[in-house]
Amino acid sequence: MADISRFRFINHLRANPTTHVRHLRKGRLVHDGPGQAFWFRPLNSALSEIPIDDREQPLLFHGRTVDFQDVAVQATVTYRVTDPALAAARIDFGIDPDHGHWRSTPLEQLGGLMTELAQQAAVDLLARMSLTQALSEGSAALRDQVGSGLREDERLTGMGIGIVDVRVVAVRAESDVERALQTPTREMVQQAADKATYERRAMAVERERAIAENELQNQIELARREEQLVLQKGQNERQRAVEAAAAGQIQTEAQAGRQRMLSQAEADAKRVLGAAEAEAEKALLAAYQDLDQATILALAIKQGALPEIGTLNVTPDLLTPLLSRLTNGAAQ
């Protein structure tokens, strides 16, 4: 809004660059343009302040489709005042010369008019569309329809209003109808999700089966290798036993051979020794054969072959031969 300063009987106005100010003094145009700054007398002045910047007007209205379904349309219209003089002549943009406030609500009036015009254009289009078409294709069609309808409307052009842009934010059906329309898509998405879940589970089962089969194959391979190892160990043990038996047999045969050789040598030695002893005994016996009993007895006593004599009994049978021999010897 314009800034107005009061000094006794005269006031000063300073406007913004985005507002167009028209100053009429006694019905004659004195100041006209944006960003004005001037002195004026409140008693003989009429002031109008028209915004010339871009303004946005939100729109929310309802329409009915060809299949009798209620549709809510949310849109935004961007507009500006292209002819401030024409707008000031058609709409009351007058401001209080003491405070600078609008005397009425020109922007609300303009917004209401714009909403009605946009709604009329949108309702005419929705009446020719089904609910499915309105929800799927309605945004672009409504944007074009509302934009062209507002730009070509003579009431807006006659007020010096230009439409800059039209944006349709949303086209919504009633909540229960919208949920009903969303059900097939939700079911399809749920089916796709279930399918993906089943495929993931099937893949997981297949992977688990492959892992189990791989583990089973590993166990079979380990069992086969263990069997080969046991067979190889058995063969090695048998071979070791055979080799040990063969070595033992060879050792036993060698030991037996050595034993036989030793026994034979000992036997031969004993035979030779026995033969020698027998020959010696034979020669000794042959030497003793011609000796008389007394000589043999004397030799036996000399060699210590007789046992120890504890008590000696001299009988006449023993002394008679001895005395006889002594006698014969003395006689000779």
Side-chain angles (χ1 to χ4, degrees):
M1 300 299 294
D3 296 331
I4 297 179
S5 303
R6 301 179 60 185
F7 298 93
R8 293 182 178 273
F9 301 105
I10 190 170
N11 294 348
H12 183 270
L13 180 144
R14 184 177 67 250
N16 296 324
T18 57
T19 57
H20 187 98
V21 176
R22 290 176 58 86
H23 177 209
L24 298 177
R25 182 188 302 160
K26 298 180 180 181
R28 292 184 301 105
L29 183 62
V30 180
H31 298 92
D32 184 20
Q36 293 288 325
F38 53 86
W39 295 91
F40 67 93
R41 294 176 60 87
L43 296 178
N44 60 1
S45 298
L47 300 175
S48 298
E49 185 179 18
I50 304 95
I52 56 175
D53 57 342
D54 290 349
R55 297 276 174 158
E56 290 190 352
Q57 177 63 38
L59 307 177
L60 180 61
F61 50 85
H62 292 264
R64 188 177 295 272
T65 61
V66 70
D67 48 2
F68 306 104
Q69 297 296 325
D70 186 70
V71 176
V73 179
Q74 182 180 357
T76 302
V77 176
T78 303
Y79 68 94
R80 73 161 63 99
V81 177
T82 57
D83 192 342
L86 188 58
R90 298 292 299 272
I91 302 175
D92 184 12
F93 284 98
I95 61 176
D96 187 353
D98 292 329
H99 303 90
H101 299 296
W102 277 319
R103 297 180 181 272
S104 62
T105 56
L107 296 181
E108 286 78 359
Q109 180 182 354
L110 183 59
L113 176 61
M114 200 171 299
T115 301
E116 292 178 358
L117 295 176
Q119 183 175 2
Q120 183 62 43
V123 167
D124 293 340
L125 177 63
L126 290 174
R128 299 190 300 270
M129 301 176 66
S130 64
L131 177 62
T132 306
Q133 291 176 343
L135 295 179
S136 60
E137 305 172 1
S139 297
L142 287 172
R143 181 178 64 249
D144 297 338
Q145 181 73 11
V146 171
S148 62
L150 293 178
R151 290 187 181 94
E152 296 173 1
D153 189 89
E154 294 180 357
R155 282 173 292 183
L156 292 179
T157 56
M159 293 179 182
I161 305 300
I163 303 301
V164 178
D165 185 26
V166 176
R167 299 186 302 277
V168 177
V169 180
V171 179
R172 304 289 298 273
E174 294 181 351
S175 58
D176 54 347
V177 177
E178 190 172 6
R179 285 194 298 269
L181 293 175
Q182 291 174 353
T183 300
T185 303
R186 289 180 178 177
E187 291 295 331
M188 185 170 57
V189 172
Q190 186 63 39
Q191 291 177 3
D194 294 340
K195 182 179 179 181
T197 301
Y198 296 150
E199 290 179 354
R200 184 170 61 253
R201 290 180 180 176
M203 186 177 297
V205 171
E206 181 66 21
R207 290 180 179 177
E208 289 179 358
R209 186 192 63 78
I211 293 173
E213 184 176 356
N214 190 17
E215 291 179 353
L216 181 60
Q217 291 295 332
N218 291 336
Q219 292 178 1
I220 293 174
E221 181 66 20
L222 290 175
R224 186 181 63 80
R225 292 185 179 181
E226 186 176 0
E227 181 182 2
Q228 292 180 355
L229 180 61
V230 171
L231 292 176
Q232 187 64 37
K233 285 184 177 181
Q235 292 179 1
N236 294 339
E237 292 295 334
R238 286 194 296 272
Q239 185 68 25
R240 190 178 293 109
V242 170
E243 295 294 336
Q249 183 178 0
I250 294 173
Q251 184 178 2
T252 302
E253 290 178 357
Q255 186 175 0
R258 289 194 299 271
Q259 190 67 30
R260 285 195 299 271
M261 293 176 64
L262 290 175
S263 300
Q264 186 176 359
E266 290 179 358
D268 292 342
K270 287 180 179 181
R271 283 195 296 271
V272 172
L273 183 58
E277 290 180 353
E279 291 295 333
E281 290 292 333
K282 184 178 179 181
L284 182 60
L285 291 175
Y288 287 166
Q289 186 176 6
D290 296 335
L291 296 177
D292 54 5
Q293 184 178 5
T295 304
I296 293 171
L297 182 59
L299 290 173
I301 294 171
K302 181 180 179 180
Q303 294 179 355
L306 295 178
E308 182 179 357
I309 299 174
T311 303
L312 180 62
N313 294 322
V314 181
T315 62
D317 294 334
L318 181 60
L319 295 177
T320 300
L322 293 174
L323 293 177
S324 144
R325 292 180 64 181
L326 291 174
T327 303
N328 290 332
Q332 295 177 357

